Amino acid sequence: NVGTTGTGTGYGSLIASPSSLSLTAAFGGATQSQSLTVSSNYGLSESFYASATSNGGWLTVTPTSATTPTSLLVTANPAVLSVGGTYTGSITLTSLTSSSQQSVPVTLVISGSALTITPSAMTFQATSGGTAPASQTVTIQAGYGTTSFSIGQTPSWLTVNPAFASTPATLTVSVSPANLSAGAYNSTVYVNSSGGQSSFTVAFNVAAAPQITASTSSLTFNWTTGLQAPATQSAALASGGVPTSF
């Protein structure tokens, strides 16, 4: 039971069951309803009004007038709300005979919209110890409205910026071959929001640093003291056609 306010006139006070309501809905999804039973604590027939109060008008009750004992239908409409989250409202029952009044709190939890990530996979190529490849971008959108999200933990070679944002958003994905030996590196990047967890994958293929070779293993110069310096000689360096700093 929930306490009443007002003064009685010999009639019973209104009793609402349950004493509070909790509903859940998907962001932008279908309406959700629950029944609310109203009776009098003396078992008498008692006429009353019912009204709904909520910010944004997401909460309604039908019928708006009745006589105990009866059931009311309490409905939440998530389509009128612009963001996910927890919302509170109330159903007020006002007796026409005893002047008693009862308030039934209503909580609505809106889960955020599922996220769409484009592309869902990306690949980078680099050489061990070489320069980092160009960054790539990923776009994150929500099916409805605006949804906040955060990026989960990533390995040291992978960076996603920004780590916190709201849809629609474009993120920059960067990789670094520094301190990585040759090999294939893979990571799943998790994107967490009130609409659930989404993800995209990153593959990073690191090639072994090419070996530098010389066209000759040695150079010999012959020179006689006091005479002109000998002619210069050259040695060609190659790295398998891959530009390599040394």
Side-chain angles (χ1 to χ4, degrees), residues 131-204:
T131 58
S135 299
Q136 298 184 40
T137 59
V138 61
T139 300
I140 300 181
Q141 295 179 311
Y144 302 93
T146 299
T147 299
S148 300
F149 63 87
S150 63
I151 301 299
Q153 187 175 4
T154 58
S156 59
W157 53 267
L158 174 62
T159 303
V160 181
N161 282 311
F164 300 89
S166 297
T167 60
T170 299
L171 309 183
T172 300
V173 182
S174 306
V175 296
S176 172
N179 303 316
L180 294 182
S181 58
Y185 298 82
N186 298 279
S187 178
T188 299
V189 179
Y190 292 100
V191 183
N192 305 302
S193 73
S194 57
Q197 189 177 74
S198 303
S199 64
F200 64 95
T201 60
V202 177
F204 188 20

Short mmCIF file of all heavy atoms in Angstrom, two decimals, residues 131-204:
data_model
loop_
_atom_site.label_atom_id
_atom_site.label_comp_id
_atom_site.label_asym_id
_atom_site.label_seq_id
_atom_site.Cartn_x
_atom_site.Cartn_y
_atom_site.Cartn_z
N THR A 131 58.01 3.22 -40.63
CA THR A 131 57.07 4.29 -40.34
C THR A 131 55.65 3.73 -40.25
O THR A 131 55.32 2.70 -40.83
CB THR A 131 57.12 5.37 -41.42
OG1 THR A 131 56.83 4.77 -42.70
CG2 THR A 131 58.50 6.01 -41.47
N ALA A 132 54.80 4.45 -39.52
CA ALA A 132 53.41 4.03 -39.36
C ALA A 132 52.63 4.28 -40.64
O ALA A 132 52.85 5.28 -41.33
CB ALA A 132 52.76 4.79 -38.20
N PRO A 133 51.71 3.39 -41.00
CA PRO A 133 50.88 3.61 -42.18
C PRO A 133 49.87 4.72 -41.93
O PRO A 133 49.66 5.14 -40.78
CB PRO A 133 50.19 2.25 -42.38
CG PRO A 133 50.15 1.67 -41.00
CD PRO A 133 51.40 2.13 -40.31
N ALA A 134 49.24 5.19 -42.97
CA ALA A 134 48.24 6.25 -42.85
C ALA A 134 47.05 5.77 -42.00
O ALA A 134 46.67 4.59 -42.03
CB ALA A 134 47.75 6.67 -44.22
N SER A 135 46.52 6.68 -41.21
CA SER A 135 45.35 6.35 -40.37
C SER A 135 44.13 6.10 -41.25
O SER A 135 44.05 6.53 -42.41
CB SER A 135 45.06 7.50 -39.40
OG SER A 135 46.15 7.73 -38.54
N GLN A 136 43.17 5.40 -40.68
CA GLN A 136 41.89 5.16 -41.35
C GLN A 136 40.77 5.63 -40.43
O GLN A 136 40.97 5.88 -39.24
CB GLN A 136 41.73 3.67 -41.68
CG GLN A 136 42.79 3.12 -42.63
CD GLN A 136 42.54 1.67 -43.02
OE1 GLN A 136 41.39 1.25 -43.25
NE2 GLN A 136 43.60 0.89 -43.07
N THR A 137 39.56 5.77 -40.98
CA THR A 137 38.43 6.25 -40.19
C THR A 137 37.30 5.22 -40.16
O THR A 137 37.16 4.40 -41.07
CB THR A 137 37.87 7.58 -40.75
OG1 THR A 137 37.45 7.39 -42.11
CG2 THR A 137 38.91 8.68 -40.68
N VAL A 138 36.54 5.29 -39.09
CA VAL A 138 35.36 4.43 -38.93
C VAL A 138 34.21 5.34 -38.50
O VAL A 138 34.38 6.26 -37.70
CB VAL A 138 35.62 3.32 -37.89
CG1 VAL A 138 35.94 3.89 -36.52
CG2 VAL A 138 34.44 2.37 -37.80
N THR A 139 33.03 5.09 -39.06
CA THR A 139 31.85 5.90 -38.78
C THR A 139 30.90 5.10 -37.89
O THR A 139 30.63 3.92 -38.16
CB THR A 139 31.13 6.30 -40.07
OG1 THR A 139 32.02 7.07 -40.88
CG2 THR A 139 29.89 7.14 -39.77
N ILE A 140 30.38 5.75 -36.85
CA ILE A 140 29.46 5.11 -35.92
C ILE A 140 28.16 5.89 -35.90
O ILE A 140 28.15 7.10 -35.66
CB ILE A 140 30.07 5.02 -34.50
CG1 ILE A 140 31.37 4.20 -34.56
CG2 ILE A 140 29.08 4.40 -33.53
CD1 ILE A 140 32.04 4.03 -33.23
N GLN A 141 27.05 5.19 -36.14
CA GLN A 141 25.73 5.81 -36.17
C GLN A 141 24.76 5.00 -35.34
O GLN A 141 24.94 3.80 -35.13
CB GLN A 141 25.22 5.92 -37.60
CG GLN A 141 26.05 6.85 -38.49
CD GLN A 141 25.52 6.90 -39.91
OE1 GLN A 141 25.26 5.86 -40.52
NE2 GLN A 141 25.34 8.10 -40.43
N ALA A 142 23.70 5.67 -34.86
CA ALA A 142 22.64 5.01 -34.10
C ALA A 142 21.39 4.93 -34.96
O ALA A 142 21.16 5.78 -35.83
CB ALA A 142 22.35 5.77 -32.81
N GLY A 143 20.58 3.91 -34.71
CA GLY A 143 19.35 3.77 -35.47
C GLY A 143 18.36 4.87 -35.19
O GLY A 143 17.59 5.27 -36.07
N TYR A 144 18.38 5.40 -33.97
CA TYR A 144 17.46 6.46 -33.57
C TYR A 144 18.21 7.47 -32.73
O TYR A 144 18.98 7.11 -31.85
CB TYR A 144 16.29 5.92 -32.75
CG TYR A 144 15.46 4.87 -33.44
CD1 TYR A 144 15.74 3.52 -33.26
CD2 TYR A 144 14.40 5.22 -34.26
CE1 TYR A 144 14.99 2.55 -33.89
CE2 TYR A 144 13.64 4.25 -34.90
CZ TYR A 144 13.94 2.91 -34.71
OH TYR A 144 13.20 1.95 -35.32
N GLY A 145 17.97 8.75 -32.99
CA GLY A 145 18.44 9.81 -32.11
C GLY A 145 19.95 9.79 -31.89
O GLY A 145 20.73 9.38 -32.74
N THR A 146 20.34 10.25 -30.71
CA THR A 146 21.75 10.36 -30.34
C THR A 146 22.07 9.38 -29.22
O THR A 146 21.35 9.32 -28.23
CB THR A 146 22.06 11.79 -29.87
OG1 THR A 146 21.80 12.70 -30.95
CG2 THR A 146 23.53 11.92 -29.46
N THR A 147 23.14 8.62 -29.39
CA THR A 147 23.55 7.64 -28.39
C THR A 147 25.03 7.87 -28.04
O THR A 147 25.87 7.92 -28.92
CB THR A 147 23.36 6.20 -28.90
OG1 THR A 147 21.97 5.98 -29.17
CG2 THR A 147 23.83 5.19 -27.86
N SER A 148 25.32 8.01 -26.76
CA SER A 148 26.70 8.15 -26.31
C SER A 148 27.37 6.78 -26.26
O SER A 148 26.72 5.77 -26.01
CB SER A 148 26.75 8.80 -24.92
OG SER A 148 26.17 10.09 -24.95
N PHE A 149 28.68 6.77 -26.50
CA PHE A 149 29.41 5.50 -26.49
C PHE A 149 30.84 5.72 -26.04
O PHE A 149 31.34 6.85 -25.99
CB PHE A 149 29.38 4.84 -27.87
CG PHE A 149 30.08 5.63 -28.95
CD1 PHE A 149 31.44 5.49 -29.17
CD2 PHE A 149 29.36 6.53 -29.73
CE1 PHE A 149 32.08 6.22 -30.15
CE2 PHE A 149 30.00 7.27 -30.72
CZ PHE A 149 31.35 7.11 -30.94
N SER A 150 31.50 4.62 -25.69
CA SER A 150 32.91 4.66 -25.31
C SER A 150 33.63 3.50 -25.98
O SER A 150 33.02 2.46 -26.28
CB SER A 150 33.07 4.58 -23.79
OG SER A 150 32.57 3.34 -23.31
N ILE A 151 34.92 3.68 -26.21
CA ILE A 151 35.75 2.66 -26.83
C ILE A 151 36.43 1.83 -25.74
O ILE A 151 36.98 2.39 -24.78
CB ILE A 151 36.82 3.30 -27.74
CG1 ILE A 151 36.15 4.14 -28.83
CG2 ILE A 151 37.70 2.22 -28.37
CD1 ILE A 151 35.23 3.34 -29.74
N GLY A 152 36.38 0.52 -25.89
CA GLY A 152 37.02 -0.36 -24.92
C GLY A 152 38.53 -0.32 -25.04
O GLY A 152 39.10 0.34 -25.92
N GLN A 153 39.19 -1.05 -24.16
CA GLN A 153 40.65 -1.06 -24.13
C GLN A 153 41.22 -1.65 -25.41
O GLN A 153 40.70 -2.64 -25.95
CB GLN A 153 41.14 -1.86 -22.92
CG GLN A 153 42.65 -1.80 -22.72
CD GLN A 153 43.08 -2.49 -21.43
OE1 GLN A 153 42.26 -3.07 -20.74
NE2 GLN A 153 44.35 -2.42 -21.11
N THR A 154 42.30 -1.06 -25.91
CA THR A 154 42.95 -1.53 -27.14
C THR A 154 44.41 -1.85 -26.84
O THR A 154 44.99 -1.33 -25.88
CB THR A 154 42.88 -0.47 -28.25
OG1 THR A 154 43.50 0.74 -27.79
CG2 THR A 154 41.43 -0.18 -28.62
N PRO A 155 45.06 -2.69 -27.66
CA PRO A 155 46.48 -3.01 -27.45
C PRO A 155 47.34 -1.77 -27.70
O PRO A 155 46.90 -0.79 -28.31
CB PRO A 155 46.75 -4.11 -28.47
CG PRO A 155 45.69 -3.95 -29.51
CD PRO A 155 44.48 -3.45 -28.79
N SER A 156 48.61 -1.83 -27.26
CA SER A 156 49.49 -0.66 -27.31
C SER A 156 49.76 -0.19 -28.74
O SER A 156 50.04 0.99 -28.96
CB SER A 156 50.81 -0.98 -26.61
OG SER A 156 51.45 -2.10 -27.24
N TRP A 157 49.69 -1.10 -29.71
CA TRP A 157 49.98 -0.70 -31.09
C TRP A 157 48.79 -0.06 -31.80
O TRP A 157 48.94 0.45 -32.92
CB TRP A 157 50.45 -1.91 -31.90
CG TRP A 157 49.53 -3.11 -31.87
CD1 TRP A 157 49.60 -4.16 -31.02
CD2 TRP A 157 48.40 -3.35 -32.72
NE1 TRP A 157 48.60 -5.06 -31.27
CE2 TRP A 157 47.84 -4.59 -32.32
CE3 TRP A 157 47.81 -2.67 -33.77
CZ2 TRP A 157 46.72 -5.14 -32.94
CZ3 TRP A 157 46.69 -3.21 -34.40
CH2 TRP A 157 46.16 -4.43 -33.98
N LEU A 158 47.63 -0.02 -31.14
CA LEU A 158 46.41 0.47 -31.77
C LEU A 158 45.82 1.63 -30.98
O LEU A 158 45.69 1.56 -29.75
CB LEU A 158 45.39 -0.68 -31.85
CG LEU A 158 43.98 -0.35 -32.34
CD1 LEU A 158 44.02 0.18 -33.78
CD2 LEU A 158 43.10 -1.60 -32.26
N THR A 159 45.44 2.70 -31.68
CA THR A 159 44.83 3.87 -31.05
C THR A 159 43.55 4.25 -31.78
O THR A 159 43.54 4.29 -33.03
CB THR A 159 45.79 5.08 -31.07
OG1 THR A 159 47.02 4.72 -30.43
CG2 THR A 159 45.18 6.27 -30.35
N VAL A 160 42.49 4.51 -31.01
CA VAL A 160 41.21 4.96 -31.57
C VAL A 160 40.84 6.28 -30.90
O VAL A 160 40.74 6.36 -29.67
CB VAL A 160 40.10 3.93 -31.35
CG1 VAL A 160 38.78 4.42 -31.97
CG2 VAL A 160 40.49 2.58 -31.94
N ASN A 161 40.63 7.32 -31.69
CA ASN A 161 40.28 8.64 -31.17
C ASN A 161 39.06 9.22 -31.89
O ASN A 161 38.96 9.09 -33.11
CB ASN A 161 41.45 9.61 -31.33
CG ASN A 161 42.53 9.39 -30.29
OD1 ASN A 161 42.24 9.30 -29.11
ND2 ASN A 161 43.77 9.29 -30.72
N PRO A 162 38.14 9.85 -31.12
CA PRO A 162 38.14 9.96 -29.66
C PRO A 162 37.65 8.67 -29.01
O PRO A 162 36.98 7.87 -29.65
CB PRO A 162 37.17 11.11 -29.39
CG PRO A 162 36.20 11.03 -30.53
CD PRO A 162 37.02 10.61 -31.72
N ALA A 163 37.97 8.49 -27.73
CA ALA A 163 37.56 7.29 -27.01
C ALA A 163 36.16 7.41 -26.45
O ALA A 163 35.54 6.40 -26.09
CB ALA A 163 38.54 6.99 -25.87
N PHE A 164 35.63 8.64 -26.37
CA PHE A 164 34.27 8.88 -25.90
C PHE A 164 33.62 9.85 -26.87
O PHE A 164 34.20 10.88 -27.23
CB PHE A 164 34.27 9.49 -24.49
CG PHE A 164 34.92 8.63 -23.45
CD1 PHE A 164 36.27 8.72 -23.19
CD2 PHE A 164 34.17 7.71 -22.73
CE1 PHE A 164 36.88 7.93 -22.23
CE2 PHE A 164 34.77 6.89 -21.77
CZ PHE A 164 36.12 7.01 -21.53
N ALA A 165 32.39 9.55 -27.30
CA ALA A 165 31.71 10.42 -28.26
C ALA A 165 30.22 10.08 -28.28
O ALA A 165 29.76 9.18 -27.56
CB ALA A 165 32.32 10.28 -29.65
N SER A 166 29.49 10.80 -29.11
CA SER A 166 28.05 10.55 -29.31
C SER A 166 27.79 10.46 -30.80
O SER A 166 28.45 11.13 -31.62
CB SER A 166 27.21 11.66 -28.69
OG SER A 166 27.39 11.72 -27.29
N THR A 167 26.83 9.63 -31.16
CA THR A 167 26.49 9.45 -32.57
C THR A 167 25.78 10.68 -33.12
O THR A 167 25.09 11.38 -32.37
CB THR A 167 25.58 8.24 -32.75
OG1 THR A 167 24.37 8.44 -31.99
CG2 THR A 167 26.25 6.97 -32.31
N PRO A 168 25.95 10.95 -34.42
CA PRO A 168 26.86 10.26 -35.35
C PRO A 168 28.30 10.74 -35.12
O PRO A 168 28.52 11.90 -34.79
CB PRO A 168 26.34 10.67 -36.72
CG PRO A 168 25.74 12.04 -36.48
CD PRO A 168 25.15 11.99 -35.10
N ALA A 169 29.26 9.85 -35.32
CA ALA A 169 30.65 10.21 -35.04
C ALA A 169 31.58 9.51 -36.03
O ALA A 169 31.27 8.42 -36.53
CB ALA A 169 31.03 9.83 -33.61
N THR A 170 32.70 10.16 -36.31
CA THR A 170 33.76 9.58 -37.13
C THR A 170 35.02 9.47 -36.28
O THR A 170 35.48 10.49 -35.72
CB THR A 170 34.04 10.44 -38.38
OG1 THR A 170 32.87 10.51 -39.19
CG2 THR A 170 35.18 9.83 -39.19
N LEU A 171 35.54 8.27 -36.15
CA LEU A 171 36.70 8.01 -35.32
C LEU A 171 37.93 7.77 -36.20
O LEU A 171 37.82 7.24 -37.30
CB LEU A 171 36.47 6.80 -34.42
CG LEU A 171 35.18 6.77 -33.59
CD1 LEU A 171 35.16 5.53 -32.72
CD2 LEU A 171 35.05 8.02 -32.76
N THR A 172 39.09 8.16 -35.68
CA THR A 172 40.35 7.94 -36.37
C THR A 172 41.06 6.73 -35.76
O THR A 172 41.26 6.69 -34.54
CB THR A 172 41.26 9.17 -36.28
OG1 THR A 172 40.59 10.29 -36.88
CG2 THR A 172 42.57 8.94 -37.00
N VAL A 173 41.41 5.78 -36.60
CA VAL A 173 42.08 4.55 -36.16
C VAL A 173 43.52 4.58 -36.66
O VAL A 173 43.75 4.72 -37.86
CB VAL A 173 41.35 3.30 -36.67
CG1 VAL A 173 42.03 2.03 -36.17
CG2 VAL A 173 39.88 3.33 -36.25
N SER A 174 44.47 4.45 -35.73
CA SER A 174 45.89 4.51 -36.07
C SER A 174 46.63 3.31 -35.49
O SER A 174 46.26 2.80 -34.43
CB SER A 174 46.53 5.79 -35.53
OG SER A 174 45.82 6.94 -35.96
N VAL A 175 47.68 2.87 -36.21
CA VAL A 175 48.52 1.78 -35.72
C VAL A 175 49.98 2.20 -35.81
O VAL A 175 50.34 3.10 -36.58
CB VAL A 175 48.30 0.48 -36.53
CG1 VAL A 175 46.87 -0.03 -36.36
CG2 VAL A 175 48.61 0.71 -38.00
N SER A 176 50.82 1.55 -35.01
CA SER A 176 52.25 1.85 -35.00
C SER A 176 53.05 0.56 -34.97
O SER A 176 52.81 -0.31 -34.11
CB SER A 176 52.61 2.72 -33.80
OG SER A 176 54.03 2.86 -33.69
N PRO A 177 54.03 0.41 -35.87
CA PRO A 177 54.86 -0.80 -35.86
C PRO A 177 56.02 -0.72 -34.87
O PRO A 177 56.80 -1.67 -34.76
CB PRO A 177 55.38 -0.86 -37.30
CG PRO A 177 55.47 0.58 -37.70
CD PRO A 177 54.33 1.28 -37.02
N ALA A 178 56.15 0.39 -34.17
CA ALA A 178 57.25 0.55 -33.22
C ALA A 178 57.23 -0.58 -32.19
O ALA A 178 56.18 -0.90 -31.63
CB ALA A 178 57.16 1.90 -32.53
N ASN A 179 58.38 -1.17 -31.98
CA ASN A 179 58.56 -2.25 -30.99
C ASN A 179 57.82 -3.53 -31.35
O ASN A 179 57.65 -4.41 -30.49
CB ASN A 179 58.13 -1.79 -29.59
CG ASN A 179 58.87 -0.56 -29.13
OD1 ASN A 179 60.09 -0.46 -29.29
ND2 ASN A 179 58.14 0.39 -28.55
N LEU A 180 57.36 -3.64 -32.59
CA LEU A 180 56.69 -4.87 -33.02
C LEU A 180 57.61 -5.67 -33.92
O LEU A 180 58.25 -5.13 -34.83
CB LEU A 180 55.40 -4.55 -33.78
CG LEU A 180 54.25 -3.90 -33.02
CD1 LEU A 180 53.05 -3.71 -33.95
CD2 LEU A 180 53.85 -4.74 -31.81
N SER A 181 57.68 -6.96 -33.67
CA SER A 181 58.40 -7.85 -34.57
C SER A 181 57.49 -8.21 -35.73
O SER A 181 56.28 -7.94 -35.70
CB SER A 181 58.87 -9.09 -33.82
OG SER A 181 57.74 -9.77 -33.24
N ALA A 182 58.06 -8.81 -36.74
CA ALA A 182 57.26 -9.19 -37.90
C ALA A 182 56.17 -10.19 -37.49
O ALA A 182 56.39 -11.06 -36.65
CB ALA A 182 58.16 -9.79 -38.97
N GLY A 183 54.99 -10.04 -38.07
CA GLY A 183 53.90 -10.95 -37.76
C GLY A 183 52.55 -10.33 -38.04
O GLY A 183 52.45 -9.19 -38.52
N ALA A 184 51.50 -11.09 -37.76
CA ALA A 184 50.12 -10.63 -37.95
C ALA A 184 49.52 -10.30 -36.59
O ALA A 184 49.52 -11.12 -35.68
CB ALA A 184 49.29 -11.70 -38.65
N TYR A 185 49.00 -9.09 -36.46
CA TYR A 185 48.39 -8.63 -35.22
C TYR A 185 46.92 -8.31 -35.48
O TYR A 185 46.59 -7.64 -36.48
CB TYR A 185 49.11 -7.39 -34.69
CG TYR A 185 50.57 -7.64 -34.35
CD1 TYR A 185 51.55 -7.61 -35.34
CD2 TYR A 185 50.95 -7.92 -33.05
CE1 TYR A 185 52.88 -7.86 -35.04
CE2 TYR A 185 52.28 -8.16 -32.73
CZ TYR A 185 53.24 -8.14 -33.73
OH TYR A 185 54.55 -8.39 -33.42
N ASN A 186 46.08 -8.79 -34.61
CA ASN A 186 44.64 -8.61 -34.79
C ASN A 186 44.01 -8.15 -33.47
O ASN A 186 44.41 -8.58 -32.39
CB ASN A 186 43.98 -9.91 -35.25
CG ASN A 186 44.49 -10.37 -36.60
OD1 ASN A 186 44.06 -9.89 -37.64
ND2 ASN A 186 45.42 -11.32 -36.59
N SER A 187 43.01 -7.28 -33.59
CA SER A 187 42.31 -6.80 -32.40
C SER A 187 40.85 -6.53 -32.74
O SER A 187 40.52 -6.09 -33.84
CB SER A 187 42.96 -5.52 -31.88
OG SER A 187 42.26 -5.03 -30.74
N THR A 188 39.99 -6.84 -31.78
CA THR A 188 38.57 -6.46 -31.87
C THR A 188 38.35 -5.24 -31.00
O THR A 188 38.66 -5.27 -29.81
CB THR A 188 37.67 -7.62 -31.40
OG1 THR A 188 37.87 -8.76 -32.25
CG2 THR A 188 36.20 -7.21 -31.47
N VAL A 189 37.87 -4.18 -31.61
CA VAL A 189 37.61 -2.93 -30.88
C VAL A 189 36.14 -2.92 -30.47
O VAL A 189 35.25 -2.95 -31.32
CB VAL A 189 37.94 -1.70 -31.75
CG1 VAL A 189 37.64 -0.41 -30.98
CG2 VAL A 189 39.39 -1.74 -32.19
N TYR A 190 35.89 -2.87 -29.17
CA TYR A 190 34.53 -2.89 -28.66
C TYR A 190 34.03 -1.46 -28.42
O TYR A 190 34.74 -0.62 -27.86
CB TYR A 190 34.45 -3.69 -27.36
CG TYR A 190 34.69 -5.17 -27.58
CD1 TYR A 190 35.93 -5.74 -27.32
CD2 TYR A 190 33.67 -5.98 -28.09
CE1 TYR A 190 36.15 -7.10 -27.54
CE2 TYR A 190 33.89 -7.34 -28.32
CZ TYR A 190 35.13 -7.88 -28.05
OH TYR A 190 35.35 -9.22 -28.28
N VAL A 191 32.80 -1.22 -28.87
CA VAL A 191 32.15 0.08 -28.72
C VAL A 191 30.96 -0.13 -27.79
O VAL A 191 30.02 -0.85 -28.13
CB VAL A 191 31.69 0.64 -30.08
CG1 VAL A 191 31.09 2.03 -29.90
CG2 VAL A 191 32.86 0.67 -31.06
N ASN A 192 31.01 0.47 -26.61
CA ASN A 192 30.00 0.24 -25.58
C ASN A 192 29.03 1.41 -25.49
O ASN A 192 29.45 2.57 -25.46
CB ASN A 192 30.69 0.04 -24.23
CG ASN A 192 31.73 -1.07 -24.27
OD1 ASN A 192 31.42 -2.21 -24.59
ND2 ASN A 192 32.97 -0.73 -23.96
N SER A 193 27.73 1.10 -25.46
CA SER A 193 26.70 2.12 -25.32
C SER A 193 25.52 1.54 -24.57
O SER A 193 25.47 0.33 -24.29
CB SER A 193 26.25 2.62 -26.70
OG SER A 193 25.44 1.64 -27.35
N SER A 194 24.54 2.40 -24.27
CA SER A 194 23.34 1.92 -23.59
C SER A 194 22.52 1.00 -24.47
O SER A 194 21.65 0.28 -23.99
CB SER A 194 22.48 3.11 -23.14
OG SER A 194 22.15 3.92 -24.25
N GLY A 195 22.80 1.01 -25.77
CA GLY A 195 22.11 0.11 -26.69
C GLY A 195 22.77 -1.24 -26.84
O GLY A 195 22.31 -2.08 -27.61
N GLY A 196 23.85 -1.46 -26.08
CA GLY A 196 24.55 -2.73 -26.15
C GLY A 196 25.98 -2.55 -26.60
O GLY A 196 26.51 -1.43 -26.66
N GLN A 197 26.64 -3.63 -26.90
CA GLN A 197 28.04 -3.61 -27.31
C GLN A 197 28.17 -3.97 -28.78
O GLN A 197 27.65 -4.98 -29.24
CB GLN A 197 28.85 -4.57 -26.46
CG GLN A 197 30.36 -4.47 -26.67
CD GLN A 197 31.11 -5.42 -25.75
OE1 GLN A 197 31.12 -6.62 -25.97
NE2 GLN A 197 31.75 -4.88 -24.71
N SER A 198 28.85 -3.12 -29.53
CA SER A 198 29.14 -3.38 -30.94
C SER A 198 30.66 -3.45 -31.09
O SER A 198 31.40 -3.17 -30.15
CB SER A 198 28.56 -2.27 -31.82
OG SER A 198 27.17 -2.14 -31.62
N SER A 199 31.12 -3.82 -32.27
CA SER A 199 32.57 -3.94 -32.43
C SER A 199 32.96 -3.85 -33.90
O SER A 199 32.14 -3.99 -34.80
CB SER A 199 33.06 -5.27 -31.85
OG SER A 199 32.52 -6.36 -32.59
N PHE A 200 34.26 -3.59 -34.11
CA PHE A 200 34.86 -3.72 -35.44
C PHE A 200 36.26 -4.30 -35.25
O PHE A 200 36.81 -4.27 -34.15
CB PHE A 200 34.89 -2.37 -36.18
CG PHE A 200 35.74 -1.31 -35.54
CD1 PHE A 200 37.06 -1.09 -35.94
CD2 PHE A 200 35.22 -0.48 -34.55
CE1 PHE A 200 37.84 -0.11 -35.36
CE2 PHE A 200 35.99 0.51 -33.97
CZ PHE A 200 37.30 0.70 -34.37
N THR A 201 36.80 -4.88 -36.31
CA THR A 201 38.09 -5.56 -36.20
C THR A 201 39.19 -4.80 -36.94
O THR A 201 38.94 -4.13 -37.95
CB THR A 201 38.01 -6.99 -36.74
OG1 THR A 201 37.63 -6.95 -38.13
CG2 THR A 201 36.97 -7.80 -35.96
N VAL A 202 40.40 -4.93 -36.41
CA VAL A 202 41.58 -4.31 -37.02
C VAL A 202 42.64 -5.39 -37.20
O VAL A 202 43.00 -6.09 -36.25
CB VAL A 202 42.13 -3.18 -36.15
CG1 VAL A 202 43.40 -2.60 -36.78
CG2 VAL A 202 41.09 -2.09 -35.95
N ALA A 203 43.12 -5.53 -38.44
CA ALA A 203 44.22 -6.45 -38.74
C ALA A 203 45.44 -5.63 -39.11
O ALA A 203 45.36 -4.69 -39.92
CB ALA A 203 43.83 -7.37 -39.89
N PHE A 204 46.58 -5.96 -38.52
CA PHE A 204 47.83 -5.23 -38.77
C PHE A 204 48.91 -6.24 -39.15
O PHE A 204 49.36 -7.03 -38.32
CB PHE A 204 48.22 -4.47 -37.51
CG PHE A 204 49.37 -3.51 -37.68
CD1 PHE A 204 49.76 -3.05 -38.93
CD2 PHE A 204 50.09 -3.08 -36.56
CE1 PHE A 204 50.82 -2.18 -39.08
CE2 PHE A 204 51.15 -2.20 -36.71
CZ PHE A 204 51.51 -1.75 -37.96
#
